[in-house]
Amino acid sequence: MKAPVTRPVSRLGHGRRTALGRTAAALAAAGALTAAVVLTRDALSAHPSPRPGRGTPAPGASATSAAPAPGAPGIGDPLMPLAGNGGYTVRRYTLDFDWRAPRTPFEAAAAISATATQALSRFDLDFAGNTLHRVTVDGAPVTAERHGDELVVTPAQPIPRGGAFTVRVAYTADPTQGRHRDDVIQDYGWVPTPDGTVVCAQPDGARMIFPANDHPSLRAPVTFHITTPPGLSAVANGRLVGTARRPGGRTRWTYDSEQPIAAQLVQLAIGRFTFVDSEGPRGLPVRDVVPEGLVADTEEYRSLTPDHLAWLERRLGPYPFPRYGVLVGDTDLPVALETQSLSVLPRDDLLGDRVDAERNLVHELTHHWTGDSVALRRWSDLWLSEGHARFYERLYSAEHGGVSLESAMRAAYEQHDQWRHDEGAPAEPTAATLFKVMRYEGSALVLFALREKVGEETFARIERAWVSAYRGRAAGTRDFVALASRIAGEDLNTFLTPWLYGAHTPPMPGHPDWEVDPVDD
């Protein structure tokens, strides 16, 4: 997610004081979740006593004698405790959307193929709003109840541990459904356009689009089937598998995400689009998706993507996905978003100043290494995703006509204590301050401090090792500190802990003249 451009001379308004009493070690220990983690029952469940359920053992799996129990309604992320679900892992989502018109409800269905990681009497899906019609497990009707954002599914018979099962949910989707945050994200979920929609699901908006296991550490491949009226096109993450004609001149578009994807990074868009194909390094397919009236006006900056890919590959190694592209959002989006393999950028980002446009383009592209490929282990690790994207955005801009990196970082240093006071230290946000400027400019400053501490050459090796070692995996703050220490040949915990968790900004290595502004209460 791209934050609004922060100029070196800017000062931000004041916010609520956040508690910084937790230690780095406690936070890191609590965050030992990965995309492949076995999810178990936890104390967060507040649902009624379980009913019997059913399921089919996966090949090679055997049921255990453990009594069936409810899967947890969340995986226990301290910032969003009910995000994700326990008791199973998703193998694939298959989504069907029968689109009709902007702001008009339409029929939808989701098939979630999963494997039980415990004997399940019931389990949850993250699913908010929308009109629910029916739910089945392996074709049999089940009991399904809504508890806030949780859809509680009780199968007719227990599902054994290791059992493979498929949940099908039929519903009427509401493309006017959205939510609001008081940070850079603002309005998210379904985002209407003049002739269709784009999707901005970060951080927890995917559950308004489809029933999901909605946490950034949990990923699965997605197949999309999107049916559109005559004259409209559909696009989603990954590869276009094919199109098929339907009665009434309608078209069914099928896309495959190709790689596992976090629910918050799902993209599906509908509109009068032009598809613009080009190539990146080594023949990488690049396909931009542009509203018909914006093709010519956005071409100058969109055409820079191959250069941006080459620039980032020199620093971070090969691009980690089979394809890339930019989806131009014909809407007043407040920010861009790194939806996997197809970043969405508001039209205004591509119609103004080149320096600002390239900052936005490089920012979202960088996320494909850090945030998309290397996923967040927990929400408090967001500094790793947004801090890296802002750091390379700033570094690229400094080399291409923008403000120097040192000037930008010195301005951030001056304001860092104020941001700590208002928004929490970089690795210690609250749910309300998650997408504030500390996670962007303030977290890029941590990476700059690390580079000043270990030197540019060692820092470059740390960065390449980070995106290589954790490619396709979830990782967190403790992982980054451990890897950086190993590459640098010294224990960096003592250096990085106050930067990431302290109430006050540490001295900047190599810049004894830099001073932090006093905090204004």
Side-chain angles (χ1 to χ4, degrees):
M1 172 70 71
K2 165 68 176 181
V5 171
T6 304
R7 312 266 181 207
V9 296
S10 65
R11 284 300 300 262
L12 300 183
H14 313 312
R16 199 163 47 127
R17 181 181 297 270
T18 58
L20 297 175
R22 297 188 299 274
T23 67
L27 279 172
L33 300 170
T34 71
V37 71
V38 173
L39 303 176
T40 58
R41 182 182 184 186
D42 70 21
L44 292 171
S45 179
H47 300 313
S49 299
R51 300 180 184 179
R54 75 176 224 170
T56 304
S62 60
T64 70
S65 59
I75 62 172
D77 190 308
L79 296 190
M80 297 186 188
L82 294 181
N85 301 285
Y88 65 92
T89 57
V90 176
R91 299 194 312 275
R92 177 172 289 273
Y93 297 98
T94 301
L95 308 178
D96 284 87
F97 298 97
D98 191 16
W99 178 266
R100 294 291 162 173
R103 303 178 184 275
T104 302
F106 60 93
E107 295 311 299
I112 301 104
S113 301
T115 301
T117 56
Q118 66 174 72
L120 282 171
S121 60
R122 69 167 184 260
F123 58 89
D124 284 24
L125 295 167
D126 299 313
F127 191 47
N130 300 298
T131 302
L132 184 65
H133 296 314
R134 64 187 177 278
V135 182
T136 64
V137 172
D138 294 335
V142 300
T143 299
E145 299 177 348
R146 308 194 82 147
H147 296 267
D149 283 1
E150 300 294 312
L151 179 63
V152 185
V153 178
T154 305
Q157 301 204 2
I159 300 172
R161 180 180 179 184
F165 62 100
T166 298
V167 190
R168 298 185 186 275
V169 181
Y171 59 103
T172 298
D174 180 3
T176 67
Q177 191 171 222
R179 289 181 174 173
H180 180 81
R181 290 180 59 91
D182 292 326
D183 52 27
V184 304
I185 288 178
Q186 299 182 38
D187 299 314
Y188 65 106
W190 293 101
V191 180
T193 62
D195 49 18
T197 189
V198 297
V199 163
C200 290
Q202 194 179 61
D204 59 350
R207 64 196 64 183
M208 295 184 283
I209 314 300
F210 64 99
N213 210 6
D214 190 6
H215 186 272
S217 68
L218 305 176
R219 299 187 281 191
V222 183
T223 299
F224 303 85
H225 301 298
I226 309 165
T227 303
T228 59
L232 295 185
S233 301
V235 68
N237 309 85
R239 177 177 63 92
L240 176 62
V241 176
T243 60
R245 302 298 293 173
R246 288 291 184 263
R250 295 170 65 78
T251 302
R252 189 189 201 214
W253 306 72
T254 297
Y255 286 87
D256 177 15
S257 70
E258 299 182 290
Q259 293 192 9
I261 183 170
Q264 64 149 347
L265 299 175
V266 161
Q267 181 57 258
L268 66 99
I270 295 154
R272 299 186 186 278
F273 294 137
T274 296
F275 296 84
V276 183
D277 292 310
S278 60
E279 286 188 356
R282 302 175 314 283
L284 178 78
V286 175
R287 167 169 284 190
D288 293 340
V289 182
V290 191
E292 289 178 352
L294 293 170
V295 176
D297 289 344
T298 61
E299 179 181 7
E300 179 182 359
Y301 300 153
R302 286 188 296 100
S303 67
L304 299 171
T305 293
D307 293 337
H308 299 158
L309 282 160
W311 186 89
L312 282 165
E313 286 196 341
R314 289 194 294 272
R315 287 153 181 83
L316 298 175
Y319 174 73
F321 296 101
R323 65 197 69 247
Y324 185 65
V326 169
L327 167 64
V328 180
D330 189 10
T331 183
D332 295 326
L333 285 169
V335 286
L337 182 62
E338 64 275 14
T339 45
Q340 189 167 302
S341 78
L342 184 68
S343 295
V344 58
L345 275 86
R347 59 173 183 257
D348 291 346
D349 282 6
L350 300 171
L351 297 175
D353 175 73
R354 175 167 174 161
V355 169
D356 288 344
E358 289 202 83
R359 283 185 60 186
N360 295 341
L361 288 162
V362 171
H363 183 105
E364 305 311 329
L365 180 54
T366 303
H367 272 303
H368 283 71
W369 281 267
T370 62
D372 291 13
S373 176
V374 182
L376 303 179
R377 179 165 290 181
R378 55 187 294 163
W379 275 114
S380 59
D381 298 317
L382 183 65
W383 79 271
L384 279 164
S385 175
E386 296 298 350
H388 273 101
R390 179 55 62 91
F391 178 85
Y392 286 101
E393 162 203 335
R394 283 290 192 190
L395 184 61
Y396 179 92
S397 185
E399 296 177 7
H400 295 82
V403 174
S404 73
L405 180 64
E406 185 168 313
S407 295
M409 293 298 96
R410 182 167 188 168
Y413 187 83
E414 291 169 355
Q415 300 172 77
H416 223 248
D417 268 7
Q418 188 71 57
W419 295 341
R420 287 173 188 267
H421 172 277
D422 295 343
E423 302 165 7
E428 203 164 37
T430 65
T433 65
L434 190 56
F435 290 92
K436 296 287 189 176
V437 73
M438 177 57 94
R439 253 49 69 193
Y440 298 87
E441 207 80 7
S443 298
L445 184 70
V446 176
L447 296 173
F448 179 81
L450 176 61
R451 192 179 78 156
E452 297 300 283
K453 165 71 172 175
V454 301
E456 291 189 23
E457 182 180 343
T458 299
F459 179 78
R461 290 193 289 115
I462 290 170
E463 294 291 276
R464 289 179 71 95
W466 173 244
V467 298
S468 174
Y470 289 99
R471 178 171 176 164
R473 301 164 58 192
T477 301
R478 182 173 61 179
D479 301 311
F480 182 79
V481 174
L483 180 143
S485 298
R486 185 170 68 253
I487 299 298
E490 62 176 305
D491 185 355
L492 292 169
N493 274 284
T494 302
F495 175 76
L496 285 172
T497 295
W499 275 101
L500 291 168
Y501 299 97
H504 301 286
T505 307
M508 177 59 70
H511 299 277
D513 56 323
W514 286 18
E515 296 183 356
V516 182
D517 289 345
V519 171
D520 185 353
D521 286 318

